[in-house]
Amino acid sequence: MTSGTEGTGALAQEVAAPRPRVRWRARLALVLAAGFGLVAMSWPLLTTPGGALTETTSGPWLFALLLPLVTAAVLMQLSDGGLDARAVAMLGVMSAVVAAVRPFGAGAAGVETVFFLIILAGRVFGAGFGFILGCTGLFASALLTGGVGPWMPFQMFAAAFVGLGAGLLPRTGTDTRGGRAAELVLLAAYAVVSSILYGLLLNLSFWPFAITQGNLAYVPGGGIGENLPRLFAYSLATSLGWDIGRAITTAVLIALTGPLLLRVLRRAARRANWV
Amino acid sequence: MSVPARAPVRPTATHPAPARRRTAHPVAWWGWALLLATTAGRTANPWLLLLIVAVAGLVVTFCRGDEPWSGAYRVFLLIGLTAVAVRMAFYIVFGGSDGPTVLFSLPSTTLPDWAAGFRLGGNVTAEGALAAAYDGLRLATLLVCVGAANALASPRRLLRSVPAALYEVSVAVVVALSVAPQLVAGVGRVRRARALRGNTNRSPANLMRTVAAPVLHDALDRSLALAAAMASRGYGRAAGIPAPARRATGAALLFGLLGLCAGAYALLGAATPAPVAWTLLAAGAAAAVFGIAFASKRVPHTRYRPDRFGPLDWAVLASGAAAVVGTVLSGLTDSAALWPATNPLAVPDLPLWAAAGVLLAAAPAALVPSTPKGTT
């Protein structure tokens, strides 16, 4: 019902009305937040023997409390001076869609139905929008299902960067058949990489307090040589299947729904340009 | 929307005064639950952990409303039981601490060196199993505390407590929370229309084109209508924040992030002394909090019926703090009871101070019981 009404010429002009502008301060904040997030998730691998974090077991809790603060600071910088009403409404609706499709992936192993939406929306509406959507989408779905827990800050943060990265991918022409196919291939490849990275980083953030004794546990002060094989074995034993499942389902969903959803989202972006 | 602060709404029969609400502030519930979780994190004594689970369950039973999220406690209890089971399975397959009492033996194999030389299987000892069970119980208790907060704190009221500087983002989440049920209704409507047209095709491609696309179009169009409605009521016009204040906020936030980053990296290495690293981290967090608070003061949005933090909410928080204080006191007097030894096997004692503190944390059940017809 949508095909045929839109000429390819209209698709070609990249209209992106509800794009939150990303100023230099917001960029700096994003880079700093990415640096902090990297430490917050992968500190078990990065600590050196004798470092202050190796002596306490409160690392994950500390970072789970500090991450919301960092996320709030970045969101404030991104929405500095007020978000457009259209961006707010669009964010709300897209977050609702994310929250509505998330339960579909909860039952089956590794089926993840959130990422393809965040990636496609980040692609159409830009990096800043993708970042905020990653946060608000996962937050809204956690609120709706009563799933707020110590893992939520990490999930929100990682999903936000998935959306940000989707907005930063290079442009392919969307006015030719080849350009649109190339865009889908690019997005699917990005989906595979980002899903596996997301799984590994989340695993890493939860690992030190999921298991504390035995061959698979994190050794405080063990350094990367001691802990990397243990992490690898832990991932293999627990979640690698899920991560690969998530990567495959996200890529397949993008390939299947991408043409339609990209068209729907671009139409909305064009129509939102009503000022 | 810089509406001048209006006179407080007078309580009437249909609009009871906010002071009469019976349930506590969501921030108080989250604080109470996190304090209980902190208590659970400071001990491995099974009696104490089970007592915490029981207290959380009691308070949830007495204080929860009948909203959709009120069943979260049971879900988190199941997740907690799964955590214990997973922890035991890990112990049996991959081993852990050992002891002299062998329960049974599994065929064991040692992985080659390139796979880090782990031993799989082998002896399963009572001491090791007990240690694994205590450890799993600790994680399960933490999860149950979080579940209690999920069941008790109303997310809608929690969103009203988001700092004013994040106003736009919280509005987006509020929009999401109210649009999600409409999406479900939209799917039903589109499917009915599709059936009336005689389309019974069940192939995913057809469903995608005739159900998903119209629902999504509908939702996005509605979001544009909503945006137009918001804009016509004056939403989204540039808030009159002076440039210096905005620059000060930006500087505070950026310095805060910088401090947090530097502190986190300093914590990793041994080159920086630990006090310096912790100070950097604390200073960064303080600067970021200051930036958010400063910006929130400048935002000219008024709140309709602000959700105040009353004495009852402080009492709820204090009861949670009592549990932590009790555990700290027990740690000072007999820390062996907080971390019971599993080798040799022994029945652990119940640390009295900690148990008294955890029992005090059940006070919200008496302070803020939910009304029979739900909470406000």
Side-chain angles (χ1 to χ4, degrees):
Chain A
M1 73 187 296
T2 57
S3 58
T5 55
E6 289 147 14
T8 49
L11 276 177
Q13 50 175 352
E14 292 258 343
V15 187
R19 259 185 198 198
R21 273 184 296 160
V22 183
R23 297 181 184 79
W24 69 267
R25 275 205 299 246
R27 278 176 208 192
L28 191 57
L30 278 171
V31 170
L32 287 174
F36 183 82
L38 202 65
V39 181
M41 292 192 180
S42 53
W43 65 270
L45 289 184
L46 297 178
T47 53
T48 49
L53 262 185
T54 52
E55 277 135 40
T56 64
T57 52
S58 57
W61 295 100
L62 177 78
F63 286 126
L65 286 178
L66 284 181
L67 260 191
L69 188 65
V70 170
T71 316
V74 176
L75 284 177
M76 272 184 63
Q77 289 286 9
L78 273 176
S79 63
D80 183 27
L83 280 181
D84 195 21
R86 291 161 296 171
V88 170
M90 198 69 85
L91 263 176
V93 169
M94 288 309 295
S95 311
V97 175
V98 166
V101 297
R102 198 172 180 204
F104 287 110
V111 176
E112 179 66 70
T113 50
V114 168
F115 277 10
F116 80 104
L117 273 172
I118 294 177
I119 290 175
L120 290 175
R123 170 76 180 168
V124 172
F125 295 122
F129 189 94
F131 187 91
I132 307 178
L133 178 65
C135 290
T136 55
L138 288 195
F139 189 53
S141 81
L143 286 185
L144 278 175
T145 54
V148 182
W151 49 81
M152 196 189 71
F154 294 98
Q155 280 181 340
M156 276 171 62
F157 199 74
F161 273 96
V162 169
L164 177 86
L168 293 178
L169 289 177
R171 291 208 176 149
T172 58
T174 50
D175 47 351
T176 61
R177 191 174 282 268
R180 286 199 290 273
E183 182 178 36
L184 277 186
V185 170
L186 180 70
L187 288 178
Y190 173 73
V192 169
V193 174
S194 60
S195 307
I196 288 186
L197 263 182
Y198 174 90
L200 276 182
L201 283 178
L202 274 195
N203 226 345
L204 201 48
S205 71
F206 202 66
W207 177 41
F209 63 147
I211 176 165
T212 51
Q213 291 164 349
N215 288 329
L216 301 187
Y218 158 67
V219 182
I224 195 162
E226 172 79 31
N227 277 321
L228 196 60
R230 285 166 173 266
L231 173 72
F232 185 69
Y234 173 74
S235 284
L236 208 62
T238 54
S239 69
L240 197 66
W242 291 58
D243 293 340
I244 291 175
R246 180 190 292 124
I248 292 174
T249 43
T250 308
V252 166
L253 278 172
I254 283 187
L256 289 181
T257 65
L260 180 87
L261 286 182
L262 282 175
R263 210 164 55 219
V264 172
L265 293 176
R266 291 212 161 105
R267 171 175 174 268
R270 220 167 28 251
R271 289 203 43 194
N273 200 12
W274 37 245
V275 179
Chain B
M1 284 180 283
S2 53
V3 185
R6 58 178 76 180
V9 180
R10 187 161 298 181
T12 59
T14 49
H15 292 97
R20 257 193 59 208
R21 72 193 162 83
R22 299 292 299 274
T23 186
H25 197 284
V27 174
W29 281 132
W30 271 102
W32 173 83
L34 288 181
L35 285 167
L36 264 191
T38 312
T39 313
R42 296 183 65 91
T43 179
N45 187 305
W47 306 126
L48 204 55
L49 292 174
L50 288 175
L51 191 64
I52 293 174
V53 172
V55 162
L58 180 83
V59 173
V60 167
T61 318
F62 273 84
C63 303
R64 72 171 168 194
D66 51 1
E67 286 89 350
W69 53 82
S70 302
Y73 181 77
R74 188 172 300 172
V75 177
F76 274 77
L77 203 57
L78 287 179
I79 297 178
L81 287 179
T82 321
V84 177
V86 167
R87 193 65 196 77
M88 287 305 286
F90 266 123
Y91 165 67
I92 290 170
V93 178
F94 296 104
S97 54
D98 277 327
T101 324
V102 178
L103 292 177
F104 56 89
S105 272
L106 289 175
S108 88
T109 167
T110 306
L111 294 182
D113 258 352
W114 53 264
F118 294 146
R119 185 179 58 89
L120 298 180
N123 289 340
V124 174
T125 60
E127 289 84 359
L130 201 61
Y134 286 179
D135 203 49
L137 187 62
R138 196 154 72 99
L139 185 60
T141 311
L142 293 176
L143 291 173
V144 164
C145 291
V146 171
N150 270 305
L152 290 168
S154 154
R156 281 173 212 280
R157 272 180 68 194
L158 189 62
L159 275 175
R160 297 182 59 179
S161 315
V162 167
L166 284 173
Y167 178 69
E168 283 98 358
V169 178
S170 66
V171 168
V173 176
V174 169
V175 171
L177 290 185
S178 28
V179 165
Q182 292 175 14
L183 275 178
V184 178
V187 170
R189 210 173 53 238
V190 169
R191 285 181 64 125
R192 206 163 51 242
R194 184 170 171 268
L196 285 175
R197 270 184 262 119
N199 186 349
T200 52
N201 195 332
R202 284 184 169 275
S203 78
N206 191 278
L207 279 176
M208 188 76 207
R209 204 163 44 80
T210 58
V211 177
V215 170
L216 208 57
H217 269 300
D218 187 35
L220 290 173
D221 286 352
R222 197 175 296 165
S223 86
L224 292 182
L226 177 67
M230 279 159 65
S232 69
R233 283 162 180 78
Y235 178 90
R237 77 199 167 79
I241 302 172
R246 194 175 286 175
R247 272 200 294 275
T249 313
L253 287 179
L254 284 183
F255 273 114
L257 284 177
L258 207 61
L260 283 172
C261 259
Y265 276 97
L267 279 181
L268 291 180
T272 325
V276 176
W278 287 110
T279 313
L280 263 177
L281 202 68
V289 168
F290 170 77
I292 293 174
F294 182 74
S296 300
K297 284 257 185 276
R298 308 264 147 182
V299 176
H301 300 301
T302 53
R303 292 197 180 209
Y304 178 60
R305 279 197 206 163
D307 207 354
R308 300 209 184 285
F309 210 80
L312 271 183
D313 305 320
W314 285 112
V316 168
L317 266 188
S319 73
V324 177
V325 171
T327 322
V328 171
L329 281 180
S330 275
L332 291 180
T333 51
D334 56 343
S335 59
L338 283 186
W339 301 95
T342 53
N343 189 10
L345 290 174
V347 179
D349 297 328
L350 181 66
L352 284 181
W353 284 107
V358 172
L359 282 180
L360 267 183
L367 288 175
V368 279
S370 61
T371 47
K373 57 195 249 305
T375 54
T376 44

